[in-house]
Amino acid sequence: QVRGMLSTVYLDQPGQPVFWLGGAGRAIRVNINPYEPKRVLETSRIVFPDVPGTPEFPYSELIYNTGHLKSGCHDPRGVLMIYGAGIPEGAISEAYDNLDIAPTLYHLLGQPIPEGLTGRVIRELAAEPVAVS
């Protein structure tokens, strides 16, 4: 369902997808499509046609445009969607960043968190470790 919705998101007009979607099995990898810098303006619109209400946003509100062909940055803010055994449905948190992903995954797999690893376990996502066989 998420893959389907993300595949319809477009830039300014249908046929210009915002995201490149890949992955394996039930995992999804999402990248921003690399449009030429002059083609994407701060005022370009990103439209979500399969989301109720068909919301749209200025490009600059959703994507940090560096002016390079492959715009973006490794900002600690972002979106993480995860599901599976041990993950409570509907858990939402805004108090974490990308440094917390690795410790959370170690915890979910019931593995010790390596010493010196920065970040913390996202407790809303990881109430109990999952038995790994």
Side-chain angles (χ1 to χ4, degrees):
Q1 189 176 23
V2 170
R3 180 187 288 266
M5 281 208 260
L6 290 175
S7 70
T8 64
V9 177
Y10 63 84
L11 178 70
D12 289 329
Q13 60 189 12
Q16 296 188 118
V18 171
F19 302 115
W20 176 90
L21 302 170
R26 296 178 64 128
I28 302 172
R29 187 177 79 217
V30 181
N31 292 85
I32 299 168
N33 270 326
Y35 290 104
E36 293 185 33
K38 293 178 183 171
R39 168 64 194 96
V40 179
L41 306 173
E42 296 291 317
T43 56
S44 291
R45 307 296 294 171
I46 296 178
V47 181
F48 294 78
D50 286 353
V51 173
T54 313
E56 55 181 80
F57 303 89
Y59 188 87
S60 61
E61 283 187 20
L62 298 181
I63 300 171
Y64 178 70
N65 191 351
T66 64
H68 298 284
L69 182 60
K70 292 186 99 178
S71 287
C73 63
H74 290 98
D75 194 297
R77 297 168 297 159
V79 175
L80 171 66
M81 293 185 283
I82 187 169
Y83 74 93
I87 307 294
E89 186 175 331
I92 297 175
S93 177
E94 297 181 19
Y96 298 93
D97 63 37
N98 61 1
L99 297 176
D100 301 322
I101 295 170
T104 301
L105 294 176
Y106 275 107
H107 175 79
L108 284 170
L109 295 172
Q111 300 297 309
I113 297 172
E115 198 172 311
L117 187 65
T118 56
R120 57 194 170 152
V121 173
I122 302 172
R123 294 290 173 196
E124 290 87 346
L125 298 180
E128 296 296 325
V130 176
V132 179
S133 53

